[in-house]
Amino acid sequence: MSSPLPNLLSLAKKSFGRPRLLLLDCIRGQSVELTQFPCHLGHVENAAWVAPSLQPGEAGCLIEAKPAGFALTAAGANVRVNGDTPAAACTLPAEGLTLLQIGRDLVALAAGEAAENQLAKAQADNWRLFLLADGHTEGITHFRDLPEFVRQRNLSLEVFAAAPLGLDVGFKLAQVFEVLGADIPGAPAPTGAWSMDGRTGSLTCPVCWQKFDPGDAMNIAAHDTLRGDPILGEDARLRFFPTRFNDLGLALDPMGLPSADLACPHCRRKLPPGFLEVPQFIFSIVGAPSAGKSYYLAILLKILQQSLFRDFGVVLKDGDPTGNMLLNQMKNQLFSAPRPEDAVLAKTALEGAMYERFPRFGKMVALPRPFIYALGRATPGANPAATDNATECSIIFYDNAGEHFEPGVDLDDSPGALHVASSAGIFFLFDPTSNHGFRKILAGSPDPQLAQSTRIDQQDSIMAEMEVRVKRLLAFEPGRKIDIPLAVLIGKCDVWKHLVEWDKFESPLQNGRIDHRIVDANSARLRELIVRVDPAIVAHAEGLARTVRFFPISAFGHSPARIESGPAAGLLAPDPRRLAPIQLEIPTLWALSRLVPGLVPPAQ
């Protein structure tokens, strides 16, 4: 709010000659003129100003007009005058500003023309942090962000104060921390103070996976001068909690421009369009390093888009074109490359291009970029490609480095794989060509993926580690199974499908529906094979989740070629002209049919 008291001076003129105080609620920007004395500030009957933090019937303070100024008497609540707790009563100056804390509310009282002018310029949605000694400004941020601002810079609560922008005097930081319920060593947080612990709320951030409610989402400033977010740094646009809106309901930034973009209040990353309007489902793809997650995901998006429209009349749209750019480039590279040499995808590196750095629980950490796609039913009619623009849900994928799933990774410093605990479906990508049991029974195959690998197979350990992590994050005891469905994807089935009666593995897509009975039958046949070859995978999977299905898939549908020369010499890559994925989309369609059966209906 650029000027929360635009009418205070005109009000003051109307009451000329009478005792007068102007009051500003410094947190909410609301103002009131006090002209009838004595008056109560609190939550009692006929109070001149109601303190939102007090309970009905709870008194705050009484203000009386005196010849030399005003007298304040504390009446039971936690009342502080200019940072100090009054013994019982105190005198307020006839000219100047007085700062009050009443319960968990902060207010400013102006007496006299100079103080009125200053209060009229105050901006309750922007607070200034400054040194008590000389008034030097350390930074400007939203009131709710002050504790994080202080922690990021390791500032002393004893030497800094804070006030709405425009005021020359401020509140002690200890008061601000107390009002917000922020952690002060040795002082318990007051009950009911505003806080977000990241564990409660109806929404889950697709970047940091902390929870919040729709009303706690931040807006991103639109004005070019509003750069220098106190948490993200000087290059980022300011994030703020809106207090002003235009006639269309759009939030206005501190410079008065409409600000349509939203950000997570925890990590402050920009949220995708429509995030507040439709359900978001996280699909976590887990797998060992070099298991083929990047190839799987890039090809899946192409095949899934085709199958959803062809088999179910559902359109899969790019829900965040800017955020999805890297994954879309990978998809286009694979399907447009003329030669295997041009289809090589770079390995996903820890903290590489697929990661962004954002704050999480007070630390700047690398978090995987979310790839968000919207699903909506196609509109029947003359143009079969048209949609009614009614997005019904969004699905979110990540291209994690496999190292993030390995045992021993510090989850506080490297939390990149924690999305599994917030997911609506977990997909474990198992690579048979790196598994000792499969390699043994496939000995003699000419497939180059079975050549001796220098990486030790630890896929069963990764599955076990995933179980430990998810149950720890959900506060589950070891024997309790999660309700998140788990799909175990046995990849590269073009290499091993001769080990089973492949002709019995039917497609479950039947007449615009997915037949769960066929999914179950295929899963049972594949489970028998895995139990014979490596039963640890089955044991870990079924020890983690109540609902487990095993799926045969192949991203390429053929053996990749070894690159003989050039920058990619020695690497394996698919032949773009021979790409023929096998049942790649089935696990995702199975998960969607459980989550949104109106879009992907199961067979009756």
Side-chain angles (χ1 to χ4, degrees), residues 129 150 156-157 160-162 171-178 184:
L129 187 73
V150 170
S156 169
L157 271 63
F160 285 93
F171 298 92
K172 293 180 179 180
L173 284 185
Q175 290 179 266
V176 174
F177 272 58
E178 179 184 352
I184 301 176

Side-chain angles (χ1 to χ4, degrees), residues 97-386:
L97 284 174
T98 301
L99 302 183
L100 299 182
Q101 178 184 347
I102 302 175
R104 294 193 304 278
D105 294 296
L106 302 176
V107 300
L109 297 176
E113 184 176 357
E116 292 165 359
N117 287 333
Q118 188 178 161
L119 204 64
K121 299 176 182 177
Q123 298 183 27
D125 51 357
N126 289 299
W127 280 58
R128 180 173 69 99
L129 187 73
F130 61 93
L131 275 168
L132 286 167
D134 58 10
H136 170 75
T137 299
E138 177 70 19
I140 298 172
T141 185
H142 193 279
F143 175 69
R144 291 178 176 179
D145 294 334
L146 281 166
E148 184 65 22
F149 188 99
V150 170
R151 292 190 188 100
Q152 290 281 340
R153 289 158 178 76
N154 196 27
L155 303 180
S156 169
L157 271 63
E158 306 300 323
V159 298
F160 285 93
L165 190 61
L167 299 189
D168 292 337
V169 293
F171 298 92
K172 293 180 179 180
L173 284 185
Q175 290 179 266
V176 174
F177 272 58
E178 179 184 352
V179 166
L180 285 173
D183 183 23
I184 301 176
T191 303
W194 182 92
S195 66
M196 286 191 299
D197 62 4
R199 297 175 178 85
T200 58
S202 60
L203 303 173
T204 299
C205 173
V207 175
C208 66
W209 316 299
Q210 297 184 75
K211 294 182 178 297
F212 61 96
D213 287 315
D216 292 321
M218 303 182 78
N219 282 76
I220 302 175
H223 199 279
D224 286 339
T225 63
L226 294 174
R227 292 187 180 272
D229 185 81
I231 307 301
L232 299 182
E234 60 184 16
D235 293 331
R237 289 187 183 270
L238 177 72
R239 271 61 169 163
F240 66 98
F241 291 99
T243 56
R244 296 183 302 157
F245 301 85
N246 65 13
D247 294 340
L248 298 176
L250 290 175
L252 300 179
D253 69 19
M255 297 299 290
L257 286 187
S259 304
D261 291 335
L262 299 177
C264 168
H266 299 291
C267 69
R268 296 176 175 244
R269 202 262 198 187
K270 179 181 175 182
L271 296 169
F275 180 79
L276 302 183
E277 282 75 42
V278 299
Q280 313 283 321
F281 299 117
I282 292 175
F283 287 167
S284 296
I285 303 169
V286 181
S290 301
K293 295 183 295 298
S294 296
Y295 285 104
Y296 163 78
L297 188 52
I299 298 173
L300 170 66
L301 284 172
K302 178 79 169 181
I303 303 304
L304 184 62
Q305 186 178 45
Q306 295 172 348
S307 178
L308 279 169
F309 187 76
R310 180 186 64 241
D311 299 310
F312 301 98
V314 172
V315 177
L316 183 145
K317 300 173 287 187
D318 199 329
D320 184 9
T322 301
N324 296 348
M325 183 173 60
L326 288 174
L327 184 55
N328 288 335
Q329 287 175 347
M330 290 165 52
K331 178 185 67 174
N332 295 335
Q333 177 183 344
L334 274 171
F335 285 93
S336 303
R339 306 171 303 162
E341 291 88 336
D342 302 312
V344 176
L345 297 183
K347 182 186 182 303
T348 304
L350 280 169
E351 303 195 17
M354 292 294 185
Y355 288 79
E356 302 171 284
R357 294 192 68 82
F358 285 104
R360 192 175 192 274
F361 293 125
K363 291 184 178 181
M364 293 297 290
V365 294
L367 298 169
R369 294 177 182 268
F371 301 118
I372 303 173
Y373 294 86
L375 275 68
R377 185 162 296 284
T379 300
N383 181 6

Side-chain angles (χ1 to χ4, degrees), residues 22-64:
L22 304 182
L23 179 149
L24 169 67
D25 181 336
C26 293
I27 299 175
R28 300 162 190 86
Q30 299 166 349
S31 57
V32 65
E33 183 186 22
L34 308 178
T35 58
Q36 301 294 324
F37 298 95
C39 66
H40 287 277
L41 307 181
H43 209 150
V44 295
E45 187 176 358
N46 298 322
W49 175 76
V50 176
S53 69
L54 300 185
Q55 298 297 318
E58 190 174 0
C61 63
L62 175 72
I63 298 179
E64 299 175 274

Side-chain angles (χ1 to χ4, degrees), residues 408-463:
V409 173
D410 189 320
L411 297 184
D412 292 326
D413 294 331
S414 189
L418 295 186
H419 49 81
V420 291
S422 300
S423 65
I426 301 175
F427 300 80
F428 185 86
L429 182 56
F430 179 80
D431 180 9
T433 64
S434 65
N435 174 264
H436 174 73
F438 272 95
R439 290 170 65 87
K440 185 176 180 180
I441 60 176
L442 292 172
S445 169
D447 193 292
Q449 297 170 106
L450 290 164
Q452 183 64 36
S453 173
T454 58
R455 180 175 288 276
I456 298 174
D457 177 38
Q458 52 179 341
Q459 295 180 97
D460 58 339
S461 298
I462 288 176
M463 178 75 84

